[in-house]
């Protein structure tokens, strides 16, 4: 079979695929511009999912399967894909290790006064007179209960936290002490010491967290957003922190990225800004192509049991 | 009964004890100097365990029970205590929440490049070009497998780590994939991505980690010491880091504390210094006095089943 990669893969991963599937023909490109010439001839496409358009799908007349090696698939031309009956799979869950680590790292950065510790080290100041909090035993509310939410909840349980999961359905998920539906959230916000948003970008989650929600949180609450920037209005977070509705916000994603130099987030002491890197991992390609390889074996044997099949009608 | 506290307790904890045991007489002092006058008259002593001497024990002729509200008891005059048959209990395990949090916080500080993130935030630099590692799936060797070691191992398992526990006996403990005896350690050091020392100060653990041990660790290993400063020679750690036998050391305890201003640890990029505060917690007194209260109830009812009874012959 002919497989075309429009995502630039490291040399070692290319080699690994060739060794694993010696009877198949891999065409490795650095981007769609380079790949377009091969498009009409291939059955399988490996892509980040942001380089496809309707005309390109039409051009790829033999295409039967698109493997998106990213977690989100919101930029695919689903109508055309659906019309053609093309199978789509994703690398959903690929970020669960780095992103769940990020959550606990930044919470402890705030609670264990990490910035103060680093500043003291720099200035060679020996002091034990630092008011530190513990994350152990606290209550964490996680908006989004997919693969990543479940992973965060699992680690939270190791820190003896109470975990509340918020999702569309509110159905019961492992590692959550309580699962509630989106519409019930307001009743539980006052219990939450930590509020973690891992919401994807959908019409339903746009502007999900509003000022009224921050008003319902305890004053000592810490809000962490690693999902999508548009799940919360930047203005509302800023106001909530400045008016002391919550004590701290840690933001890795923003409505506008890169975050402009003159944005007040950078200067606000009780907002910690990181630069959309909670998912950064040295194991990205290994994990993505492990999913591809597993799926490819199943694809070849006509198994229906592939990993992360995307619903092309719903678009996720 | 008469209880004398030589450890200065917060007002709210004093009140709580009085309310809990209204029939008993509590004498709350700020230190031994202030407390000495009452010593000959009391049956129970609440102390940090560093203010007792043989003459003071002799003076405390009615003393039957010493509650040490600290984890370590190495400064008690055990010979005299044993001669008199005085019961000793400790607050062992009191630091397990903050100290286990500390371990994962500093490992992520190193692996997720926390110092770089904070510096970039300060300078409003938007970049995703930071090489970050993951702590997930790594192997952690923990020297010391008591209450704290077990807690650290439990959290390590939530991060899908392989956990190796090192102790005198090497007996099997929950949450450890493997438990080995001190004398077997050398065989396992090359497997360890993270080496965490929580060893107490005993003749056996003095200078426990030596240069030869760092030579056996992988070059990318991170060494964390939150036990006692004398478990490792400062010179050896410094040499191991400078000669790249390991990639980083995080030290919270030192042979000499405070660490002198001119000590090379402060300046070494691959050594992170914190100031003996891994155990700092806002819940310290609540937890210590909860152990005291539980033990006091049992003491009054002549129950043998008290928490954290110290072996006054072995001294721990």
């Amino acid at each position: 079979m002919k497989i075309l990669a429009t995502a630039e893969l490291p040399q070692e991963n290319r080699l690994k695929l060739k060794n694993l599937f010696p009877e198949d023909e891999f065409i490795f490109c650095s981007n769609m511009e380079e790949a377009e010439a091969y498009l009409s001839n291939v059955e399988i496409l490996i892509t980040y999912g942001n380089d496809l358009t309707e005309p390109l799908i039409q051009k790829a007349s033999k295409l039967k399967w698109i493997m998106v090696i990213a977690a989100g698939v919101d930029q695919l031309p689903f109508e055309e894909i659906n019309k053609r009956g093309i199978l789509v799979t994703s690398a959903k869950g690929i970020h669960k290790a780095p992103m769940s680590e990020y959550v606990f790292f930044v919470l402890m950065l705030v609670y264990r006064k990490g910035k103060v510790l680093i500043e003291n080290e720099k200035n060679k100041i020996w002091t034990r007179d630092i008011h530190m909090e513990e994350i152990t035993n606290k209550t964490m509310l996680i908006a989004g209960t997919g693969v990543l939410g479940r992973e965060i909840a699992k680690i939270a349980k190791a820190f003896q936290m109470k975990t509340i999961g918020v999702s569309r359905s509110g159905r019961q998920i492992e590692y959550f002490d309580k699962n509630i539906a989106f519409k019930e959230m307001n009743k539980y916000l006052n219990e939450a010491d930590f509020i973690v948003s891992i919401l994807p970008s959908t019409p339903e989650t746009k502007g999900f967290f509003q000022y009224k929600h921050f008003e319902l949180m305890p004053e000592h609450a810490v809000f962490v957003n690693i999902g999508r920037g548009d799940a919360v209005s930047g203005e509302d977070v800023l106001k909530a922190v400045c008016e002391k509705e919550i004590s701290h916000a840690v933001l890795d994603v923003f409505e506008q990225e890169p975050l402009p130099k003159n944005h007040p987030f950078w200067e606000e002491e009780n907002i910690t800004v990181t630069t959309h890197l909670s998912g950064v991992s040295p194991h990205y390609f290994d994990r993505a192509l492990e999913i591809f390889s597993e799926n490819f074996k199943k694809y070849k044997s006509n198994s229906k049991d592939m990993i992360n099949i995307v619903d092309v009608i719903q678009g996720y």
Side-chain angles (χ1 to χ4, degrees), chain A:
Chain A
M1 287 175 201
K2 280 190 180 164
I3 304 105
L4 175 64
T6 66
E8 188 169 16
L9 305 180
Q11 211 48 46
E12 59 187 272
N13 294 96
R14 297 180 185 199
L15 231 87
K16 210 169 161 187
L17 286 175
K18 281 182 174 172
N19 288 336
L20 212 54
F21 304 103
E23 70 281 17
D24 298 292
E25 187 186 333
F26 285 90
I27 306 159
F28 295 112
C29 297
S30 299
N31 50 52
M32 182 56 87
E33 204 182 348
E34 207 181 303
E36 203 176 332
Y38 307 97
L39 212 53
S40 61
N41 242 329
V42 297
E43 184 171 339
I44 300 166
L45 199 62
I46 299 177
T47 166
Y48 285 126
N50 58 355
D51 55 3
L52 286 168
T53 58
E54 266 188 39
L56 289 172
I57 296 290
Q58 284 157 359
K59 198 166 187 177
S61 57
K62 295 181 183 162
L63 188 62
K64 288 190 180 160
W65 170 32
I66 300 170
M67 170 75 204
V68 179
I69 58 167
V73 292
D74 37 319
Q75 295 179 70
L76 290 188
F78 276 114
E79 212 179 297
E80 191 63 21
I81 288 169
N82 185 29
K83 209 192 290 174
R84 284 270 304 283
I86 296 169
L87 173 72
V88 179
T89 59
S90 77
K92 195 174 70 180
I94 195 171
H95 299 299
K96 75 174 179 174
M99 289 179 83
S100 55
E101 289 185 15
Y102 178 94
V103 168
F104 295 93
F105 173 59
V106 297
L107 289 178
M108 290 195 278
L109 190 67
V110 175
Y111 261 40
R112 304 298 296 168
K113 300 283 191 292
K115 290 179 183 177
V116 175
L117 298 193
I118 290 167
E119 202 56 28
N120 283 348
E121 186 190 27
K122 209 183 277 174
N123 298 317
K124 306 183 186 180
I125 293 169
W126 183 278
T127 175
R128 300 186 67 201
D129 191 16
I130 299 172
H131 183 78
M132 292 174 157
E133 295 287 341
E134 288 173 13
I135 65 165
T136 300
N137 262 318
K138 295 290 187 288
T139 295
M140 180 182 281
L141 182 142
I142 304 170
T145 60
V147 188
L148 173 58
R150 190 173 158 280
E151 185 71 14
I152 295 170
K154 186 186 81 177
I155 299 168
K157 292 312 294 176
F159 285 110
Q160 298 165 65
M161 290 190 202
K162 182 181 171 189
T163 49
I164 303 172
V166 189
S167 62
R168 185 181 307 107
S169 69
R171 75 189 168 88
Q172 192 55 46
I173 309 272
E174 200 185 356
Y175 301 119
F176 285 97
D177 295 305
K178 197 162 185 68
N179 283 92
I180 56 171
F182 283 159
K183 61 182 190 307
E184 299 172 277
M185 187 174 72
N186 290 3
K187 276 188 291 180
Y188 293 89
L189 284 173
N190 69 336
E191 285 181 36
D193 301 299
F194 308 134
I195 298 91
V196 179
S197 173
I198 54 170
L199 293 172
S201 184
T202 71
E204 203 177 358
T205 58
K206 210 166 166 165
F208 186 83
F209 284 100
Q210 294 155 30
Y211 189 71
K212 65 177 181 190
H213 297 112
F214 294 108
E215 284 182 304
L216 290 170
M217 296 174 195
E219 280 174 35
H220 67 264
V222 179
F223 177 77
V224 179
N225 189 10
I226 54 171
R228 292 286 182 184
D230 61 9
V232 56
S233 131
E235 238 170 89
D236 285 4
V237 187
L238 190 65
K239 190 174 163 205
V241 169
C242 291
E243 312 240 311
K244 311 248 181 256
E245 295 296 343
I246 61 172
S247 74
H248 205 102
V250 183
L251 307 173
D252 188 49
V253 287
F254 304 90
E255 288 163 303
Q256 189 190 342
E257 293 183 8
L259 187 68
K261 285 260 189 211
N262 62 353
H263 198 289
F265 282 168
W266 291 110
E267 302 264 357
E268 173 52 50
E269 196 188 357
N270 293 315
I271 293 179
T272 296
V273 169
T274 60
T275 55
H276 203 144
L277 40 67
S278 70
V280 171
S281 165
H283 308 297
Y284 188 89
F285 289 106
D286 288 346
R287 284 179 188 147
L289 295 171
E290 201 175 301
I291 297 175
F292 169 77
S293 301
E294 283 307 299
N295 275 346
F296 192 27
K297 284 177 206 159
K298 286 173 179 166
Y299 180 84
K300 287 172 155 218
S301 65
N302 285 312
S303 161
K304 299 282 174 213
D305 190 26
M306 286 166 74
I307 304 163
N308 292 344
I309 294 178
V310 173
D311 183 331
V312 293
I313 294 167
Q314 303 276 2
Y316 59 83

